[in-house]
Amino acid sequence: MQRPLGAQISHMLKSRGVDVIFGIPGVHNVEMYRGIEEAGITHVLARHEQGAGFMADGYSRATGKPGVCYLITGPGLCNAMTPLGQAYSDSVSVLAVTSCLDNVTGKRGQLHQMLDQRAAAGTVCEWSEEARDPETAYRLVDRALTGFASKRKRSCHIQVPIQSLGAMADAAPEAAQLPGLPKASSEDMRALVDRVLAAQKPIFVFGGGALGGAEVINDVLRMTGAAAFCTYAGRGLVSAKYPLYFGSFLARPDSASVFAEADLVVAMGTELSECDIWRDDLGHTAPMIRVDIDPEILAQARPGDVPILGDVGAVLKAMAVAIPARVDDRAPCWDVQKVAATKARWRAEVMTERPGIVEVAEALKAALPDDCMIYSDMTQFAYAAKEVWDMPRAGYWHHPYGFGTLGYALPAAIGGAVARRALPTLSILGDYGFQYTVQDLGTAVELGLSLPIIIWDNGKLAEIEESMIQSQIAPNAVVAQNPDFLALARAYGAGAVEPKSLEEMQQAVLAAFDAPVPTVIRVTPGVL
């Protein structure tokens, strides 16, 4: 049947598996809201478009499905450009659908007018396109969903003119089968296995792109006797009990000396970006085998390296089958005691650099169930925890790694909690970052989410203060007047508690998982 195009887009998304949309309605995009309930989609009302984008991001990270947000012309899109940039940076499938003005060349002074809205979104998305007719709109939706399924996930933006949204349109065509990720060739697989088994001291680096092979990674390591690191996004892929696991300490400067010992480096599903290693290069002199679905990453190969285009999960599963056919489990290729001593030294460095955080992190970890999904913000607590906290499961700690925005954790955790209604979700953020998106606490209360929200309240921008001191700059503009966070939480209708010991913190978090509304838990350094 015919419906206005705005309604047909919602029906199309539902037919493609979209169950939740995050957003804020407005006078320009009201036609996009005509078909949401009719299509059977749940809409989550954010308190700011930035929150809607982060909620879509958090939902996608929790489910592996696309996160969709509906936004209004002009400022609505602009408000969401930070989360769209974050999703692009961290390989998250977020689709933003917005309204746009019908004519921006012959008219000026219109409500929500921008010089070039499509181009603005294109600076933070993989692509940004305009659909002026139903066929183009449907084609762009399928283009986004196909890209999410078959290559590196990135944010995408579709804008539809206001008049087009209200015009009658036929329904979208039936969904076609989505393609899969690229597969490594048999020649590449043989070369990979041959090189790994020939190496005397191989070392693997696993990133977030290796999640599809999580169930076989520890078997592959045991069979090859290789050492391993994980990036922050890859934590949980390697068991903390594996004796040759160096942890997620890639950013420790002298991890470069570990890689200098290797005669083969295998990087799987990782950019090895600045935010992974915080130096110019990994430190290796040996050849590198790099497995990734992104040709741009593989183009960074040096002479002698072996780039392999393919789905890392499928590659790891093939290795788990091929290697036992060639060899029995190999003895450790690295010194087990040296690996343990190196990890202990790096952990001690974190404790020295960020006093008091590791002890709180360990107490929190001990209290959480293994299936708790964590969303953290740009805060010193998270910076320390990302190095020392070995996750029991891969893909269960989410952080704004690449773009590095404040204000991510609360709305992203709301998106994750919406996706995981019966499962525990936790938000960790600093006192400054909480105030970026505090208004979305209203959304969490409205939804009745049992969400613990830990605020690491050191009363200032402590990381920036330390950076100024290290740069021999007198600290300035790093202390701000904080509100009474507990009173603010209660004003929204949330729970509020301020534990005075590690045990009270643990009890508060566990109680919050069963509470009928979110609970703000203020943690003050030096008090616990």
Side-chain angles (χ1 to χ4, degrees):
M1 60 180 292
Q2 281 203 327
R3 300 182 180 92
L5 176 58
Q8 295 287 29
I9 290 173
S10 293
H11 280 269
M12 179 187 187
L13 289 170
K14 177 65 176 180
S15 73
R16 276 25 174 199
V18 174
D19 296 316
V20 181
I21 289 174
F22 304 89
I24 302 177
V27 66
H28 279 185
N29 70 351
V30 66
E31 285 293 344
M32 292 161 54
Y33 281 76
R34 183 185 295 276
I36 290 179
E37 291 186 1
E38 184 183 63
I41 294 175
T42 297
H43 181 270
V44 175
L45 177 63
R47 298 304 191 262
H48 188 282
E49 288 89 358
Q50 185 179 61
F54 284 141
M55 290 175 197
D57 175 297
Y59 177 89
S60 180
R61 296 196 201 207
T63 61
K65 297 168 61 176
V68 180
C69 52
Y70 277 2
L71 309 170
I72 200 166
T73 317
L77 171 68
C78 288
N79 286 338
M81 283 177 64
T82 296
L84 292 174
Q86 189 65 61
Y88 178 94
S89 177
D90 287 355
S91 304
V92 183
S93 51
V94 172
L95 173 61
V97 184
T98 74
S99 54
C100 68
L101 294 173
D102 299 294
N103 182 352
V104 295
T105 57
K107 295 182 179 180
R108 286 291 181 266
Q110 300 178 80
L111 177 65
H112 301 332
Q113 185 164 12
M114 294 176 64
L115 293 179
D116 196 333
Q117 176 177 298
R118 184 202 59 77
T123 63
V124 290
C125 295
E126 181 179 37
W127 53 260
S128 173
E129 300 289 356
E130 181 172 328
R132 291 189 167 273
D133 57 75
E135 292 75 18
T136 303
Y138 303 152
R139 192 177 302 120
L140 289 174
V141 170
D142 278 336
R143 175 183 170 187
L145 299 180
T146 298
F148 295 154
S150 62
K151 59 182 181 179
R152 185 175 182 178
K153 295 176 172 62
R154 302 286 204 185
S155 54
C156 303
H157 168 241
I158 301 170
Q159 65 181 35
V160 185
I162 298 167
Q163 287 188 2
S164 299
L165 286 171
M168 298 301 289
D170 292 329
E174 293 294 319
Q177 182 175 344
L178 293 174
L181 294 168
K183 304 295 183 183
S185 68
S186 56
E187 292 80 6
D188 284 337
M189 288 302 308
R190 281 194 294 269
L192 171 60
V193 173
D194 288 345
R195 294 287 290 270
V196 171
L197 294 180
Q200 299 302 306
K201 294 189 78 173
I203 188 167
F204 283 74
V205 182
F206 297 104
L211 294 180
E215 68 269 28
V216 300
I217 283 177
N218 290 285
D219 293 334
V220 169
L221 291 174
R222 187 190 70 251
M223 290 186 291
T224 59
F229 279 86
C230 283
T231 67
Y232 298 138
R235 284 180 303 147
L237 287 170
V238 179
S239 170
K241 296 180 180 179
Y242 180 65
L244 300 181
Y245 178 44
F246 281 98
S248 54
F249 290 106
L250 274 175
R252 292 287 115 188
D254 64 336
S255 70
S257 63
V258 174
F259 287 96
E261 294 183 39
D263 61 352
L264 179 68
V265 178
V266 184
M268 310 200 85
T270 172
E271 285 183 291
L272 293 176
S273 68
E274 177 186 68
C275 301
D276 291 319
I277 61 177
W278 293 108
R279 55 182 182 270
D280 292 335
D281 59 72
L282 201 56
H284 65 293
T285 57
M288 175 185 285
I289 299 176
R290 198 154 196 174
V291 186
D292 211 283
I293 58 172
D294 188 348
E296 186 176 344
I297 298 301
L298 299 179
Q300 300 172 12
R302 306 182 305 184
D305 289 351
V306 179
I308 297 177
L309 179 67
D311 172 21
V312 174
V315 167
L316 284 164
K317 291 172 184 175
M319 291 179 71
V321 173
I323 292 175
R326 297 272 301 274
V327 297
D328 295 325
D329 291 358
R330 296 173 65 179
C333 300
W334 296 72
D335 186 326
V336 172
Q337 293 182 337
K338 186 176 180 181
V339 172
T342 302
K343 286 180 66 177
R345 174 166 51 82
W346 286 337
R347 181 180 180 278
E349 289 177 2
V350 176
M351 295 181 72
T352 301
E353 293 166 1
R354 306 188 190 282
I357 295 180
V358 173
E359 294 84 352
V360 178
E362 288 180 341
L364 180 60
K365 178 184 176 183
L368 297 180
D370 285 351
D371 61 349
C372 180
M373 186 165 284
I374 300 171
Y375 291 84
S376 62
D377 216 270
M378 302 296 285
T379 173
Q380 285 191 323
F381 186 93
Y383 303 154
K386 287 188 301 176
E387 293 195 88
V388 303
W389 190 318
D390 289 316
M391 293 295 293
R393 298 185 182 187
Y396 273 66
W397 187 305
H398 306 294
H399 185 81
Y401 296 107
F403 215 40
T405 176
L406 285 162
Y408 169 82
L410 175 57
I414 290 171
V418 167
R420 293 163 41 85
R421 276 286 189 168
L423 297 171
T425 303
L426 172 69
S427 177
I428 302 173
L429 63 171
D431 54 301
Y432 208 81
F434 179 58
Q435 295 178 77
Y436 271 55
T437 48
V438 62
Q439 66 275 1
D440 285 311
L441 189 57
T443 299
V445 171
E446 187 172 86
L447 295 172
L449 300 179
S450 303
L451 177 66
I453 303 164
I454 294 180
I455 300 178
W456 182 256
D457 185 3
N458 53 22
K460 55 186 173 182
L461 290 165
E463 186 75 7
I464 309 307
E465 180 184 58
E466 292 177 10
S467 177
M468 287 180 171
I469 292 172
Q470 291 170 3
S471 302
Q472 298 185 330
I473 299 171
N476 63 85
V478 294
V479 178
Q481 177 65 46
N482 280 339
D484 182 335
F485 289 119
L486 302 187
L488 182 60
R490 295 187 185 106
Y492 273 103
V497 63
E498 186 169 1
K500 300 299 182 183
S501 68
L502 293 176
E503 292 76 16
E504 286 186 13
M505 179 193 70
Q506 292 173 322
Q507 294 167 6
V509 170
L510 293 176
F513 287 136
D514 295 323
V517 292
T519 305
V520 170
I521 303 170
R522 179 175 179 257
V523 175
T524 306
V527 172
L528 300 184

